[in-house]
PDB file of all heavy atoms in Angstrom:
ATOM      1  N   ARG K   1       0.844  -1.189   0.000  1.00  0.00           N
ATOM      2  CA  ARG K   1       0.000   0.000   0.000  1.00  0.00           C
ATOM      3  C   ARG K   1       0.882   1.242   0.000  1.00  0.00           C
ATOM      4  O   ARG K   1       1.749   1.384   0.860  1.00  0.00           O
ATOM      5  CB  ARG K   1      -0.908   0.000   1.226  1.00  0.00           C
ATOM      6  CG  ARG K   1      -1.878   1.179   1.282  1.00  0.00           C
ATOM      7  CD  ARG K   1      -2.865   0.986   2.410  1.00  0.00           C
ATOM      8  NE  ARG K   1      -2.199   0.844   3.688  1.00  0.00           N
ATOM      9  CZ  ARG K   1      -1.894   1.857   4.483  1.00  0.00           C
ATOM     10  NH1 ARG K   1      -2.184   3.090   4.119  1.00  0.00           N
ATOM     11  NH2 ARG K   1      -1.296   1.650   5.633  1.00  0.00           N
ATOM     12  N   PRO K   2       0.675   2.159  -0.924  1.00  0.00           N
ATOM     13  CA  PRO K   2       1.511   3.375  -0.941  1.00  0.00           C
ATOM     14  C   PRO K   2       1.145   4.305   0.199  1.00  0.00           C
ATOM     15  O   PRO K   2       0.055   4.244   0.773  1.00  0.00           O
ATOM     16  CB  PRO K   2       1.176   4.001  -2.305  1.00  0.00           C
ATOM     17  CG  PRO K   2      -0.201   3.506  -2.613  1.00  0.00           C
ATOM     18  CD  PRO K   2      -0.277   2.115  -2.040  1.00  0.00           C
ATOM     19  N   GLY K   3       2.070   5.168   0.527  1.00  0.00           N
ATOM     20  CA  GLY K   3       1.830   6.123   1.591  1.00  0.00           C
ATOM     21  C   GLY K   3       0.886   7.228   1.159  1.00  0.00           C
ATOM     22  O   GLY K   3       0.552   7.372  -0.018  1.00  0.00           O
ATOM     23  N   PRO K   4       0.430   8.038   2.100  1.00  0.00           N
ATOM     24  CA  PRO K   4      -0.497   9.120   1.763  1.00  0.00           C
ATOM     25  C   PRO K   4       0.182  10.186   0.917  1.00  0.00           C
ATOM     26  O   PRO K   4       1.366  10.484   1.080  1.00  0.00           O
ATOM     27  CB  PRO K   4      -0.914   9.674   3.131  1.00  0.00           C
ATOM     28  CG  PRO K   4       0.201   9.297   4.046  1.00  0.00           C
ATOM     29  CD  PRO K   4       0.741   7.993   3.537  1.00  0.00           C
ATOM     30  N   ALA K   5      -0.594  10.746   0.002  1.00  0.00           N
ATOM     31  CA  ALA K   5      -0.062  11.785  -0.878  1.00  0.00           C
ATOM     32  C   ALA K   5       0.056  13.104  -0.133  1.00  0.00           C
ATOM     33  O   ALA K   5      -0.676  13.377   0.822  1.00  0.00           O
ATOM     34  CB  ALA K   5      -0.967  11.944  -2.099  1.00  0.00           C
ATOM     35  N   ASP K   6       0.977  13.930  -0.575  1.00  0.00           N
ATOM     36  CA  ASP K   6       1.177  15.233   0.031  1.00  0.00           C
ATOM     37  C   ASP K   6       0.015  16.143  -0.357  1.00  0.00           C
ATOM     38  O   ASP K   6      -0.199  16.416  -1.545  1.00  0.00           O
ATOM     39  CB  ASP K   6       2.501  15.825  -0.445  1.00  0.00           C
ATOM     40  CG  ASP K   6       2.859  17.076   0.330  1.00  0.00           C
ATOM     41  OD1 ASP K   6       2.118  17.435   1.270  1.00  0.00           O
ATOM     42  OD2 ASP K   6       3.883  17.698   0.001  1.00  0.00           O
ATOM     43  N   PRO K   7      -0.780  16.635   0.616  1.00  0.00           N
ATOM     44  CA  PRO K   7      -1.939  17.460   0.269  1.00  0.00           C
ATOM     45  C   PRO K   7      -1.580  18.862  -0.207  1.00  0.00           C
ATOM     46  O   PRO K   7      -2.439  19.565  -0.728  1.00  0.00           O
ATOM     47  CB  PRO K   7      -2.732  17.512   1.578  1.00  0.00           C
ATOM     48  CG  PRO K   7      -1.716  17.317   2.635  1.00  0.00           C
ATOM     49  CD  PRO K   7      -0.673  16.413   2.052  1.00  0.00           C
ATOM     50  N   GLY K   8      -0.370  19.288  -0.025  1.00  0.00           N
ATOM     51  CA  GLY K   8       0.005  20.624  -0.471  1.00  0.00           C
ATOM     52  C   GLY K   8       0.164  21.586   0.682  1.00  0.00           C
ATOM     53  O   GLY K   8      -0.297  21.335   1.801  1.00  0.00           O
ATOM     54  N   PRO K   9       0.798  22.732   0.434  1.00  0.00           N
ATOM     55  CA  PRO K   9       1.054  23.679   1.527  1.00  0.00           C
ATOM     56  C   PRO K   9      -0.204  24.372   2.048  1.00  0.00           C
ATOM     57  O   PRO K   9      -0.234  24.822   3.180  1.00  0.00           O
ATOM     58  CB  PRO K   9       2.025  24.686   0.907  1.00  0.00           C
ATOM     59  CG  PRO K   9       1.755  24.600  -0.563  1.00  0.00           C
ATOM     60  CD  PRO K   9       1.377  23.173  -0.844  1.00  0.00           C
ATOM     61  N   GLY K  10      -1.264  24.510   1.224  1.00  0.00           N
ATOM     62  CA  GLY K  10      -2.455  25.214   1.666  1.00  0.00           C
ATOM     63  C   GLY K  10      -3.477  24.339   2.361  1.00  0.00           C
ATOM     64  O   GLY K  10      -4.574  24.806   2.693  1.00  0.00           O
ATOM     65  N   PHE K  11      -3.163  23.065   2.604  1.00  0.00           N
ATOM     66  CA  PHE K  11      -4.125  22.149   3.204  1.00  0.00           C
ATOM     67  C   PHE K  11      -4.209  22.380   4.706  1.00  0.00           C
ATOM     68  O   PHE K  11      -3.198  22.563   5.380  1.00  0.00           O
ATOM     69  CB  PHE K  11      -3.711  20.705   2.917  1.00  0.00           C
ATOM     70  CG  PHE K  11      -4.596  19.677   3.558  1.00  0.00           C
ATOM     71  CD1 PHE K  11      -5.840  19.405   3.030  1.00  0.00           C
ATOM     72  CD2 PHE K  11      -4.182  19.002   4.688  1.00  0.00           C
ATOM     73  CE1 PHE K  11      -6.665  18.456   3.614  1.00  0.00           C
ATOM     74  CE2 PHE K  11      -4.982  18.062   5.279  1.00  0.00           C
ATOM     75  CZ  PHE K  11      -6.234  17.790   4.745  1.00  0.00           C
ATOM     76  N   SER K  12      -5.437  22.366   5.242  1.00  0.00           N
ATOM     77  CA  SER K  12      -5.662  22.550   6.670  1.00  0.00           C
ATOM     78  C   SER K  12      -6.302  21.286   7.218  1.00  0.00           C
ATOM     79  O   SER K  12      -7.415  20.923   6.835  1.00  0.00           O
ATOM     80  CB  SER K  12      -6.557  23.765   6.931  1.00  0.00           C
ATOM     81  OG  SER K  12      -6.860  23.873   8.307  1.00  0.00           O
ATOM     82  N   ASN K  13      -5.582  20.640   8.100  1.00  0.00           N
ATOM     83  CA  ASN K  13      -6.113  19.423   8.720  1.00  0.00           C
ATOM     84  C   ASN K  13      -7.329  19.725   9.581  1.00  0.00           C
ATOM     85  O   ASN K  13      -8.292  18.952   9.603  1.00  0.00           O
ATOM     86  CB  ASN K  13      -5.009  18.761   9.548  1.00  0.00           C
ATOM     87  CG  ASN K  13      -5.484  17.520  10.252  1.00  0.00           C
ATOM     88  OD1 ASN K  13      -5.882  17.574  11.416  1.00  0.00           O
ATOM     89  ND2 ASN K  13      -5.451  16.394   9.556  1.00  0.00           N
ATOM     90  N   THR K  14      -7.304  20.842  10.290  1.00  0.00           N
ATOM     91  CA  THR K  14      -8.432  21.201  11.152  1.00  0.00           C
ATOM     92  C   THR K  14      -9.684  21.475  10.331  1.00  0.00           C
ATOM     93  O   THR K  14     -10.789  21.052  10.693  1.00  0.00           O
ATOM     94  CB  THR K  14      -8.062  22.437  11.985  1.00  0.00           C
ATOM     95  OG1 THR K  14      -6.839  22.189  12.677  1.00  0.00           O
ATOM     96  CG2 THR K  14      -9.157  22.760  12.979  1.00  0.00           C
ATOM     97  N   LYS K  15      -9.530  22.172   9.206  1.00  0.00           N
ATOM     98  CA  LYS K  15     -10.680  22.459   8.346  1.00  0.00           C
ATOM     99  C   LYS K  15     -11.258  21.176   7.755  1.00  0.00           C
ATOM    100  O   LYS K  15     -12.487  20.988   7.738  1.00  0.00           O
ATOM    101  CB  LYS K  15     -10.249  23.411   7.220  1.00  0.00           C
ATOM    102  CG  LYS K  15     -11.381  23.787   6.279  1.00  0.00           C
ATOM    103  CD  LYS K  15     -10.878  24.735   5.207  1.00  0.00           C
ATOM    104  CE  LYS K  15     -11.998  25.095   4.232  1.00  0.00           C
ATOM    105  NZ  LYS K  15     -11.523  26.002   3.173  1.00  0.00           N
ATOM    106  N   ALA K  16     -10.387  20.281   7.290  1.00  0.00           N
ATOM    107  CA  ALA K  16     -10.869  19.017   6.724  1.00  0.00           C
ATOM    108  C   ALA K  16     -11.560  18.172   7.782  1.00  0.00           C
ATOM    109  O   ALA K  16     -12.619  17.569   7.522  1.00  0.00           O
ATOM    110  CB  ALA K  16      -9.701  18.250   6.113  1.00  0.00           C
ATOM    111  N   LEU K  17     -11.006  18.140   8.982  1.00  0.00           N
ATOM    112  CA  LEU K  17     -11.635  17.376  10.058  1.00  0.00           C
ATOM    113  C   LEU K  17     -12.982  17.967  10.444  1.00  0.00           C
ATOM    114  O   LEU K  17     -13.952  17.237  10.691  1.00  0.00           O
ATOM    115  CB  LEU K  17     -10.700  17.334  11.268  1.00  0.00           C
ATOM    116  CG  LEU K  17     -11.174  16.529  12.480  1.00  0.00           C
ATOM    117  CD1 LEU K  17     -11.350  15.067  12.110  1.00  0.00           C
ATOM    118  CD2 LEU K  17     -10.200  16.664  13.632  1.00  0.00           C
ATOM    119  N   GLY K  18     -13.065  19.295  10.489  1.00  0.00           N
ATOM    120  CA  GLY K  18     -14.337  19.937  10.798  1.00  0.00           C
ATOM    121  C   GLY K  18     -15.397  19.685   9.732  1.00  0.00           C
ATOM    122  O   GLY K  18     -16.567  19.449  10.056  1.00  0.00           O
ATOM    123  N   GLU K  19     -14.995  19.726   8.468  1.00  0.00           N
ATOM    124  CA  GLU K  19     -15.960  19.462   7.397  1.00  0.00           C
ATOM    125  C   GLU K  19     -16.494  18.035   7.464  1.00  0.00           C
ATOM    126  O   GLU K  19     -17.686  17.793   7.307  1.00  0.00           O
ATOM    127  CB  GLU K  19     -15.303  19.717   6.037  1.00  0.00           C
ATOM    128  CG  GLU K  19     -15.048  21.199   5.745  1.00  0.00           C
ATOM    129  CD  GLU K  19     -14.343  21.398   4.423  1.00  0.00           C
ATOM    130  OE1 GLU K  19     -13.945  20.379   3.806  1.00  0.00           O
ATOM    131  OE2 GLU K  19     -14.186  22.564   4.013  1.00  0.00           O
ATOM    132  N   VAL K  20     -15.608  17.078   7.710  1.00  0.00           N
ATOM    133  CA  VAL K  20     -16.057  15.681   7.811  1.00  0.00           C
ATOM    134  C   VAL K  20     -16.901  15.460   9.060  1.00  0.00           C
ATOM    135  O   VAL K  20     -17.926  14.771   9.037  1.00  0.00           O
ATOM    136  CB  VAL K  20     -14.835  14.734   7.797  1.00  0.00           C
ATOM    137  CG1 VAL K  20     -15.264  13.301   8.064  1.00  0.00           C
ATOM    138  CG2 VAL K  20     -14.117  14.827   6.470  1.00  0.00           C
ATOM    139  N   LEU K  21     -16.489  16.090  10.169  1.00  0.00           N
ATOM    140  CA  LEU K  21     -17.177  15.860  11.437  1.00  0.00           C
ATOM    141  C   LEU K  21     -18.573  16.461  11.442  1.00  0.00           C
ATOM    142  O   LEU K  21     -19.518  15.853  11.984  1.00  0.00           O
ATOM    143  CB  LEU K  21     -16.340  16.457  12.574  1.00  0.00           C
ATOM    144  CG  LEU K  21     -16.739  16.086  14.005  1.00  0.00           C
ATOM    145  CD1 LEU K  21     -16.597  14.599  14.220  1.00  0.00           C
ATOM    146  CD2 LEU K  21     -15.889  16.847  14.995  1.00  0.00           C
ATOM    147  N   TYR K  22     -18.753  17.628  10.811  1.00  0.00           N
ATOM    148  CA  TYR K  22     -20.039  18.311  10.862  1.00  0.00           C
ATOM    149  C   TYR K  22     -20.881  18.121   9.598  1.00  0.00           C
ATOM    150  O   TYR K  22     -21.910  18.781   9.445  1.00  0.00           O
ATOM    151  CB  TYR K  22     -19.819  19.805  11.123  1.00  0.00           C
ATOM    152  CG  TYR K  22     -19.292  20.080  12.505  1.00  0.00           C
ATOM    153  CD1 TYR K  22     -17.978  20.478  12.695  1.00  0.00           C
ATOM    154  CD2 TYR K  22     -20.093  19.918  13.623  1.00  0.00           C
ATOM    155  CE1 TYR K  22     -17.471  20.724  13.959  1.00  0.00           C
ATOM    156  CE2 TYR K  22     -19.606  20.162  14.893  1.00  0.00           C
ATOM    157  CZ  TYR K  22     -18.300  20.564  15.056  1.00  0.00           C
ATOM    158  OH  TYR K  22     -17.816  20.793  16.311  1.00  0.00           O
ATOM    159  N   THR K  23     -20.452  17.242   8.708  1.00  0.00           N
ATOM    160  CA  THR K  23     -21.273  16.917   7.531  1.00  0.00           C
ATOM    161  C   THR K  23     -21.592  15.422   7.483  1.00  0.00           C
ATOM    162  O   THR K  23     -22.746  15.023   7.619  1.00  0.00           O
ATOM    163  CB  THR K  23     -20.558  17.339   6.241  1.00  0.00           C
ATOM    164  OG1 THR K  23     -19.251  16.754   6.207  1.00  0.00           O
ATOM    165  CG2 THR K  23     -20.447  18.850   6.146  1.00  0.00           C
ATOM    166  N   ASP K  24     -20.563  14.593   7.346  1.00  0.00           N
ATOM    167  CA  ASP K  24     -20.788  13.155   7.227  1.00  0.00           C
ATOM    168  C   ASP K  24     -21.136  12.506   8.560  1.00  0.00           C
ATOM    169  O   ASP K  24     -21.929  11.559   8.601  1.00  0.00           O
ATOM    170  CB  ASP K  24     -19.547  12.476   6.638  1.00  0.00           C
ATOM    171  CG  ASP K  24     -19.240  12.988   5.236  1.00  0.00           C
ATOM    172  OD1 ASP K  24     -20.165  13.506   4.577  1.00  0.00           O
ATOM    173  OD2 ASP K  24     -18.069  12.897   4.806  1.00  0.00           O
ATOM    174  N   TYR K  25     -20.532  12.991   9.646  1.00  0.00           N
ATOM    175  CA  TYR K  25     -20.721  12.357  10.953  1.00  0.00           C
ATOM    176  C   TYR K  25     -21.377  13.311  11.948  1.00  0.00           C
ATOM    177  O   TYR K  25     -21.086  13.258  13.143  1.00  0.00           O
ATOM    178  CB  TYR K  25     -19.369  11.895  11.509  1.00  0.00           C
ATOM    179  CG  TYR K  25     -18.680  10.876  10.648  1.00  0.00           C
ATOM    180  CD1 TYR K  25     -17.684  11.262   9.749  1.00  0.00           C
ATOM    181  CD2 TYR K  25     -19.034   9.534  10.696  1.00  0.00           C
ATOM    182  CE1 TYR K  25     -17.050  10.330   8.945  1.00  0.00           C
ATOM    183  CE2 TYR K  25     -18.410   8.601   9.900  1.00  0.00           C
ATOM    184  CZ  TYR K  25     -17.420   8.998   9.014  1.00  0.00           C
ATOM    185  OH  TYR K  25     -16.800   8.078   8.214  1.00  0.00           O
ATOM    186  N   VAL K  26     -22.284  14.164  11.477  1.00  0.00           N
ATOM    187  CA  VAL K  26     -22.892  15.147  12.370  1.00  0.00           C
ATOM    188  C   VAL K  26     -23.828  14.473  13.372  1.00  0.00           C
ATOM    189  O   VAL K  26     -23.846  14.833  14.556  1.00  0.00           O
ATOM    190  CB  VAL K  26     -23.619  16.237  11.556  1.00  0.00           C
ATOM    191  CG1 VAL K  26     -24.724  15.649  10.699  1.00  0.00           C
ATOM    192  CG2 VAL K  26     -24.140  17.333  12.481  1.00  0.00           C
ATOM    193  N   TYR K  27     -24.608  13.472  12.949  1.00  0.00           N
ATOM    194  CA  TYR K  27     -25.540  12.817  13.868  1.00  0.00           C
ATOM    195  C   TYR K  27     -24.820  11.950  14.903  1.00  0.00           C
ATOM    196  O   TYR K  27     -25.164  12.012  16.096  1.00  0.00           O
ATOM    197  CB  TYR K  27     -26.558  12.000  13.080  1.00  0.00           C
ATOM    198  CG  TYR K  27     -27.491  12.863  12.257  1.00  0.00           C
ATOM    199  CD1 TYR K  27     -27.500  12.787  10.880  1.00  0.00           C
ATOM    200  CD2 TYR K  27     -28.341  13.778  12.877  1.00  0.00           C
ATOM    201  CE1 TYR K  27     -28.334  13.597  10.123  1.00  0.00           C
ATOM    202  CE2 TYR K  27     -29.193  14.593  12.132  1.00  0.00           C
ATOM    203  CZ  TYR K  27     -29.182  14.496  10.750  1.00  0.00           C
ATOM    204  OH  TYR K  27     -30.008  15.290  10.013  1.00  0.00           O
ATOM    205  N   PRO K  28     -23.821  11.133  14.528  1.00  0.00           N
ATOM    206  CA  PRO K  28     -23.069  10.443  15.592  1.00  0.00           C
ATOM    207  C   PRO K  28     -22.346  11.400  16.532  1.00  0.00           C
ATOM    208  O   PRO K  28     -22.260  11.136  17.736  1.00  0.00           O
ATOM    209  CB  PRO K  28     -22.068   9.580  14.804  1.00  0.00           C
ATOM    210  CG  PRO K  28     -22.692   9.383  13.476  1.00  0.00           C
ATOM    211  CD  PRO K  28     -23.437  10.643  13.197  1.00  0.00           C
ATOM    212  N   PHE K  29     -21.882  12.543  16.003  1.00  0.00           N
ATOM    213  CA  PHE K  29     -21.209  13.520  16.854  1.00  0.00           C
ATOM    214  C   PHE K  29     -22.187  14.127  17.861  1.00  0.00           C
ATOM    215  O   PHE K  29     -21.876  14.256  19.052  1.00  0.00           O
ATOM    216  CB  PHE K  29     -20.597  14.619  15.984  1.00  0.00           C
ATOM    217  CG  PHE K  29     -19.851  15.660  16.758  1.00  0.00           C
ATOM    218  CD1 PHE K  29     -18.617  15.385  17.317  1.00  0.00           C
ATOM    219  CD2 PHE K  29     -20.397  16.927  16.927  1.00  0.00           C
ATOM    220  CE1 PHE K  29     -17.930  16.350  18.040  1.00  0.00           C
ATOM    221  CE2 PHE K  29     -19.716  17.896  17.650  1.00  0.00           C
ATOM    222  CZ  PHE K  29     -18.489  17.599  18.199  1.00  0.00           C
ATOM    223  N   GLU K  30     -23.390  14.470  17.404  1.00  0.00           N
ATOM    224  CA  GLU K  30     -24.397  15.012  18.316  1.00  0.00           C
ATOM    225  C   GLU K  30     -24.855  13.966  19.322  1.00  0.00           C
ATOM    226  O   GLU K  30     -25.107  14.278  20.492  1.00  0.00           O
ATOM    227  CB  GLU K  30     -25.580  15.546  17.518  1.00  0.00           C
ATOM    228  CG  GLU K  30     -25.268  16.795  16.717  1.00  0.00           C
ATOM    229  CD  GLU K  30     -26.470  17.315  15.971  1.00  0.00           C
ATOM    230  OE1 GLU K  30     -27.525  16.648  16.017  1.00  0.00           O
ATOM    231  OE2 GLU K  30     -26.369  18.387  15.358  1.00  0.00           O
ATOM    232  N   LEU K  31     -24.967  12.703  18.885  1.00  0.00           N
ATOM    233  CA  LEU K  31     -25.346  11.637  19.804  1.00  0.00           C
ATOM    234  C   LEU K  31     -24.294  11.443  20.886  1.00  0.00           C
ATOM    235  O   LEU K  31     -24.622  11.279  22.075  1.00  0.00           O
ATOM    236  CB  LEU K  31     -25.557  10.334  19.025  1.00  0.00           C
ATOM    237  CG  LEU K  31     -25.993   9.115  19.834  1.00  0.00           C
ATOM    238  CD1 LEU K  31     -27.337   9.372  20.497  1.00  0.00           C
ATOM    239  CD2 LEU K  31     -26.067   7.884  18.950  1.00  0.00           C
ATOM    240  N   ALA K  32     -23.021  11.480  20.505  1.00  0.00           N
ATOM    241  CA  ALA K  32     -21.959  11.371  21.494  1.00  0.00           C
ATOM    242  C   ALA K  32     -21.976  12.554  22.463  1.00  0.00           C
ATOM    243  O   ALA K  32     -21.751  12.387  23.674  1.00  0.00           O
ATOM    244  CB  ALA K  32     -20.602  11.286  20.800  1.00  0.00           C
ATOM    245  N   ALA K  33     -22.279  13.758  21.952  1.00  0.00           N
ATOM    246  CA  ALA K  33     -22.365  14.925  22.831  1.00  0.00           C
ATOM    247  C   ALA K  33     -23.509  14.788  23.830  1.00  0.00           C
ATOM    248  O   ALA K  33     -23.359  15.124  25.012  1.00  0.00           O
ATOM    249  CB  ALA K  33     -22.545  16.186  21.988  1.00  0.00           C
TER     250      ALA K  33
END
């Protein structure tokens, strides 16, 4: 399996995590809260 690709200098891990957390997993996140 190849390693992860370089996302580039403008990539924000926090922004990507927030988008995934509050879009795809918003209901499990609210349930956990």
Side-chain angles (χ1 to χ4, degrees):
R1 183 172 58 89
D6 189 4
F11 177 76
S12 175
N13 178 265
T14 306
K15 181 180 179 181
L17 182 62
E19 289 177 353
V20 173
L21 192 63
Y22 292 108
T23 54
D24 298 338
Y25 299 98
V26 60
Y27 293 116
F29 181 73
E30 291 182 356
L31 181 61

